[in-house]
């Protein structure tokens, strides 16, 4: 994306603040004109006092300096008041819109599919959000407070100087050309380097976030020094790339300072020569010296503006790349909210491939009636998780159709569909908030009594009541203040509060010890009652009482039936059972039926 296009997008993000932006732009135009009244009036006053007016001017005795001085005061007051007003409203605009864009960005990334988040580090997304919105804020603020006025000043100054004395104006034009060429050269030299610098900033953020997120691993394997060295290496590489960029822009600054003296000397030299020939007045010479000083100041602001855009460009490019990412799954224009569904799920000839070559799911067809428990088993990568992901529209099938209560899931709003589906994950996902807040994710308006009831049914009330703050207890980052079994029971209580007609159990007890698993299985029994339940399972002992078991291999269902029917067929499922020593343990496993009945929560 070119820098011009990039900056255009920055201004487009003003959104509803655009009207105020136009008002500030007009105020900047007035400022640009008013600022040049001072040097013009200054030069005219000198000519009036000295009686040395240039050709075509009124005679000195016909003019009094007081009206000119009064006009100078009026223009000065206007400039001060207008500048203060622009600065105040520019600040407010930039702050308001930064928060608006930040919120919009956050909403956008939360809507992106899980596949996007799987391939993008969360630390990088946070860095892009914070640095991107800060860059927008700085550019908006600078644009309306300084940069736009500087650009408009150049537009006003150059024609005005030509009108007053074209011979002296040529020097100002030469100065502008030199600045333009120099700035273009530096931008061309450093644009790619700054992009590499920003990549290193992203790596630095991702690496630090990764180490902090795995601090237990870092400490237990004595890797603190190694991680610090790794971070220092990235920081050193960042500095090595940043230094050449800073050097080039330092050259621009030095030349800018030197050009002030050179230009003023040139104006005096040419002005004296022209004055000797009667082609200019002393007042005009003084006026053009002021013009030159002002022009240098405005050019410095333009260079600062260019430098700011240039330095922010990689951050903004990253920001816009994320903002332009289109969710693979979106609501259709005519999508409807289904309210509460009954739970009849139908897959008909459903196929899906991640890469367009190897099918993850091929010609999948089955029906799950309300209240049934459907177990999906098979090796890792067989297609179990993909099938369930298609149900709650993490993706859409490339062929075939999935219906819930006879409605194509693509005809339903995403929010309406997912409101009817509850998920208990293998890893209990909790916010760094209170237990009550985590439970209310399932039902935001749940009462305290409803929280207690759900926690009791999920076998979680005992450990909640034992804690000093009870439901106000903070779960910690990712729930680390709680044990694995406690986290899992809270996730089940959360599903109970949501009360969805369709439930997905994703290997929900595989990481638990036997005693904790028994408690969680009792909770799962409770949450499964009266719901259409899909169980992704590796441990076959947990799906003994499923209504139907679908055995997956290479994206296809190769066997289907009840637990006993599949064992009797001596097929693929029976081989899996033998591999898990279940055939010999059938009688003993049947004694564990109260615990096994609900523990169909497994991941593939």
């Amino acid at each position: 994306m070119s820098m011009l296009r990039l900056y255009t997008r920055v201004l487009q993000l003003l959104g509803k603040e655009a009207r105020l932006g136009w008002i500030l732009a007009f105020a900047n135009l007035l400022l640009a004109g008013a600022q040049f009244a001072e040097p013009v009036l200054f030069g005219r006053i000198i000519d009036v006092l000295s009686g040395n007016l240039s050709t075509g001017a009124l005679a000195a005795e016909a003019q009094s300096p007081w009206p000119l001085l009064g006009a100078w005061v009026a223009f000065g007051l206007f400039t001060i008041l207008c500048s203060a007003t622009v600065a105040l409203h520019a600040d407010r605009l930039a702050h308001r819109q930064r928060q608006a864009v930040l919120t919009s960005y956050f909403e956008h990334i939360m809507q992106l599919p899980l596949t996007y988040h799987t391939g993008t580090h969360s630390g990088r997304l946070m860095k892009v959000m914070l640095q991107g919105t800060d860059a927008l804020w700085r550019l908006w603020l600078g644009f309306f407070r300084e940069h736009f006025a500087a650009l408009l000043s150049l537009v006003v100054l150059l024609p005005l100087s030509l009108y007053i004395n074209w011979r002296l104006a040529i020097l100002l034009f030469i100065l502008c050309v030199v600045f333009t060429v120099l700035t273009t050269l530096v931008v061309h030299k450093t644009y790619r380097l700054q992009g590499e610098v920003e990549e290193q900033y992203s790596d630095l953020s991702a690496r630090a976030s990764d180490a902090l997120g795995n601090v237990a691993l870092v400490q237990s394997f004595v890797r603190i020094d190694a991680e610090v060295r790794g971070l220092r290496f990235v920081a050193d590489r960042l500095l090595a790339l940043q230094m050449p960029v800073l050097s080039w822009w330092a050259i621009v600054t030095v030349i800018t300072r030197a050009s002030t003296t050179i230009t003023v000397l040139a104006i005096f030299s040419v002005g004296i020569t022209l004055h000797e020939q009667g082609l200019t007045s002393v007042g005009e010479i003084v006026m053009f010296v002021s013009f030159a000083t002002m022009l240098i100041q405005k050019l410095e602001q333009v260079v600062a503006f260019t430098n700011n855009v240039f330095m922010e460009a990689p951050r903004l490019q990253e920001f816009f790349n994320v903002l332009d990412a289109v969710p693979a799954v979106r609501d259709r224009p005519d999508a409807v909210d289904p309210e509460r569904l009954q739970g009849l799920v139908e897959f008909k000839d459903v196929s899906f491939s991640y890469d367009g070559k190897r099918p993850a799911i091929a010609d999948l067809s089955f029906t799950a009636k309300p209240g049934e428990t459907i177990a999906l088993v098979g090796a890792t990568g067989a297609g179990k998780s993909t099938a369930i992901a298609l149900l709650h529209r993490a993706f859409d099938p490339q062929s075939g159709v999935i219906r819930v209560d006879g409605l194509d899931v693509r005809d339903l709003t995403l929010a309406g569909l997912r409101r009817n589906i509850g998920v208990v994950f293998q890893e209990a996902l909790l916010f760094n908030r209170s237990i009550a807040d985590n439970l209310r994710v399932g039902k935001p308006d749940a009462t305290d009594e409803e929280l207690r009831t759900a926690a009791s049914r999920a076998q979680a009330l005992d450990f909640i009541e034992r804690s000093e703050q009870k439901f106000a207890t903070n779960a910690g980052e990712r729930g680390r203040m709680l044990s694995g079994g406690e986290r899992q029971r809270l996730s089940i209580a959360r599903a109970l509060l949501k009360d969805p007609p369709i439930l997905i159990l994703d290997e929900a007890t595989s990481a638990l010890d036997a005693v904790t698993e028994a408690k969680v299985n009792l909770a799962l029994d409770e949450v499964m009652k009266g719901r259409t339940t899909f169980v992704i399972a590796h441990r076959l002992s947990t799906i003994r009482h499923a209504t139907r078991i679908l055995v997956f291999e290479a994206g296809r269902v190769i066997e289907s039936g009840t637990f006993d029917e599949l064992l009797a067929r001596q097929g693929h499922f029976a081989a899996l059972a033998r591999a898990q020593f279940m055939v010999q343990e059938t009688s003993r496993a049947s004694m564990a039926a109260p615990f096994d009945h609900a523990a169909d929560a497994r991941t593939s």
Side-chain angles (χ1 to χ4, degrees):
M1 188 183 297
S2 68
M3 290 184 66
L4 179 61
R5 171 60 182 153
L6 195 69
Y7 199 72
T8 302
R9 288 202 64 180
V10 169
L11 295 180
Q12 287 173 343
L13 279 180
L14 286 172
K16 65 180 182 180
E17 299 285 352
R19 183 167 176 242
L20 176 58
W22 281 108
I23 295 173
L24 291 175
F26 179 71
N28 274 290
L29 180 60
L30 295 178
L31 272 175
Q35 285 174 348
F36 294 105
E38 181 176 337
V40 171
L41 292 170
F42 183 35
R44 292 308 180 202
I45 289 174
I46 289 178
D47 281 337
V48 169
L49 293 176
S50 65
N52 186 22
L53 293 175
S54 59
T55 305
L58 296 175
E61 59 271 18
Q63 290 196 32
S64 169
W66 293 108
L68 295 175
L69 190 61
W72 189 347
V73 171
F75 275 110
L77 290 174
F78 172 79
T79 301
I80 292 170
L81 292 174
C82 193
S83 297
T85 302
V86 167
L88 175 64
H89 288 286
D91 280 355
R92 293 180 176 180
L93 178 150
H95 279 86
R96 283 197 304 265
Q97 199 57 21
R98 175 174 61 174
Q99 302 310 321
V101 172
L102 186 147
T103 304
S104 176
Y105 173 94
F106 181 75
E107 180 182 11
H108 173 73
I109 61 175
M110 294 299 289
Q111 292 174 341
L112 291 175
L114 291 177
T115 48
Y116 182 90
H117 290 278
T118 300
T120 308
H121 199 284
S122 59
R124 184 181 293 264
L125 286 176
M126 284 294 296
K127 172 255 182 189
V128 169
M129 179 175 74
L130 297 176
Q131 290 195 353
T133 51
D134 281 349
L136 289 170
W137 172 75
R138 284 190 292 269
L139 290 180
W140 287 330
L141 193 61
F143 180 80
F144 289 114
R145 290 186 64 172
E146 296 177 349
H147 302 148
F148 189 53
L151 291 170
L152 289 175
S153 296
L154 296 179
V155 174
V156 174
L157 171 61
L158 296 177
L160 178 64
S161 63
L162 280 172
Y163 173 76
I164 295 173
N165 190 315
W166 65 268
R167 296 174 181 85
L168 291 174
I170 290 175
L171 297 174
L172 301 182
F173 273 91
I174 293 173
L175 181 61
C176 288
V177 171
V178 170
F179 262 83
T180 302
V181 172
L182 180 63
T183 304
T184 303
L185 174 65
V186 172
V187 168
H188 178 72
K189 286 282 188 182
T190 55
Y191 188 78
R192 180 185 57 82
L193 287 175
Q194 187 60 29
E196 293 177 2
V197 168
E198 201 55 40
E199 288 181 9
Q200 297 303 316
Y201 272 116
S202 295
D203 290 345
L204 189 72
S205 176
R207 190 178 185 95
S209 177
D210 200 33
L212 289 171
N214 293 282
V215 66
L217 175 67
V218 171
Q219 292 180 355
S220 62
F221 280 81
V222 198
R223 282 195 54 84
I224 295 177
D225 289 342
E227 292 300 321
V228 172
R229 282 197 304 272
L231 193 70
R232 186 178 292 118
F233 175 77
V234 176
D236 290 343
R237 191 165 52 190
L238 187 157
L239 282 175
L241 290 169
Q242 184 72 80
M243 289 307 174
V245 177
L246 298 178
S247 298
W248 276 103
W249 285 103
I251 292 172
V252 174
T253 303
V254 171
I255 294 177
T256 300
R257 301 298 180 192
S259 61
T260 303
T261 302
I262 295 172
T263 304
V264 170
L265 288 173
I267 288 175
F268 269 117
S269 300
V270 174
I272 291 171
T273 303
L274 293 175
H275 184 265
E276 291 174 348
Q277 300 174 6
L279 297 175
T280 188
S281 67
V282 174
E284 284 185 354
I285 295 174
V286 173
M287 188 188 306
F288 269 83
V289 169
S290 298
F291 279 170
T293 304
M294 187 175 291
L295 180 62
I296 293 292
Q297 180 186 10
K298 299 305 177 185
L299 286 174
E300 284 180 339
Q301 291 179 352
V302 171
V303 169
F305 157 72
T306 306
N307 188 22
N308 288 342
V309 176
F310 165 77
M311 297 295 284
E312 306 290 9
R315 301 185 184 109
L316 291 170
Q317 185 68 66
E318 275 193 306
F319 183 84
F320 287 127
N321 286 342
V322 176
L323 208 58
D324 291 340
V326 179
V329 177
R330 289 173 289 176
D331 285 339
R332 289 179 173 177
D334 57 347
V336 297
D337 190 328
E339 300 299 332
R340 186 172 178 84
L341 297 167
Q342 297 299 312
L344 173 63
V345 177
E346 300 171 275
F347 278 66
K348 184 172 178 59
D349 301 323
V350 173
S351 296
F352 177 80
S353 173
Y354 291 100
D355 56 11
K357 300 176 182 178
R358 186 176 65 88
I361 289 292
D363 301 321
L364 177 61
S365 297
F366 70 88
T367 299
K369 297 178 181 179
E372 288 188 338
T373 297
I374 307 298
L376 291 75
V377 302
T380 300
K384 310 182 297 296
S385 293
T386 300
I388 296 304
L390 291 169
L391 174 59
H392 60 82
R393 293 195 69 196
F395 325 99
D396 279 334
Q398 275 114 25
S399 63
V401 63
I402 303 172
R403 294 189 179 91
V404 179
D405 289 2
L407 302 172
D408 189 329
V409 293
R410 290 168 292 193
D411 293 331
L412 308 178
T413 62
L414 283 168
L417 173 67
R418 292 170 181 172
R419 194 167 51 244
N420 282 275
I421 299 175
V423 184
V424 179
F425 299 97
Q426 178 181 12
E427 178 187 359
L429 305 176
L430 299 177
F431 291 112
N432 186 18
R433 302 169 193 171
S434 70
I435 288 176
D437 287 339
N438 275 284
L439 293 180
R440 286 195 172 98
V441 170
K443 186 180 180 183
D445 59 348
T447 64
D448 291 345
E449 187 57 37
E450 286 175 320
L451 294 184
R452 290 182 59 83
T453 301
S456 177
R457 292 175 64 191
Q459 308 293 310
L461 188 59
D462 55 343
F463 77 80
I464 295 175
E465 294 289 349
R466 282 199 305 268
S467 61
E468 183 177 346
Q469 295 181 294
K470 298 182 172 48
F471 282 90
T473 301
N474 192 280
E477 185 179 1
R478 294 180 178 269
R480 289 174 180 168
M481 298 297 291
L482 306 172
S483 70
E486 290 170 346
R487 291 196 297 269
Q488 199 63 286
R489 280 176 277 171
L490 286 181
S491 68
I492 294 169
R494 185 169 58 197
L496 280 166
L497 274 172
K498 186 177 183 181
D499 191 28
I502 301 170
L503 181 66
I504 298 170
L505 302 179
D506 191 357
E507 200 77 49
T509 64
S510 63
L512 305 179
D513 62 82
V515 175
T516 304
E517 182 180 5
K519 293 181 179 180
V520 172
N521 283 339
L522 285 173
L524 288 173
D525 267 335
E526 190 68 28
V527 77
M528 289 168 63
K529 288 179 180 177
R531 310 178 201 281
T532 305
T533 305
F534 294 91
V535 182
I536 301 174
H538 282 129
R539 289 163 57 175
L540 304 184
S541 62
T542 62
I543 57 171
R544 184 176 302 277
H545 298 286
T547 307
R548 187 159 70 263
I549 299 172
L550 305 178
V551 183
F552 280 73
E553 184 175 329
R556 298 178 183 272
V557 175
I558 57 174
E559 291 180 356
S560 175
T562 65
F563 189 93
D564 293 332
E565 288 172 350
L566 293 176
L567 279 183
R569 290 179 191 173
Q570 294 298 306
H572 190 81
F573 181 83
L576 289 175
R578 283 195 296 272
Q580 294 189 23
F581 306 102
M582 285 186 49
V583 173
Q584 298 92 330
E585 299 291 334
T586 299
S587 59
R588 188 192 310 174
S590 63
M591 296 172 62
F595 295 151
D596 294 336
H597 180 275
D600 299 17
R602 320 295 179 249
T603 52
S604 64

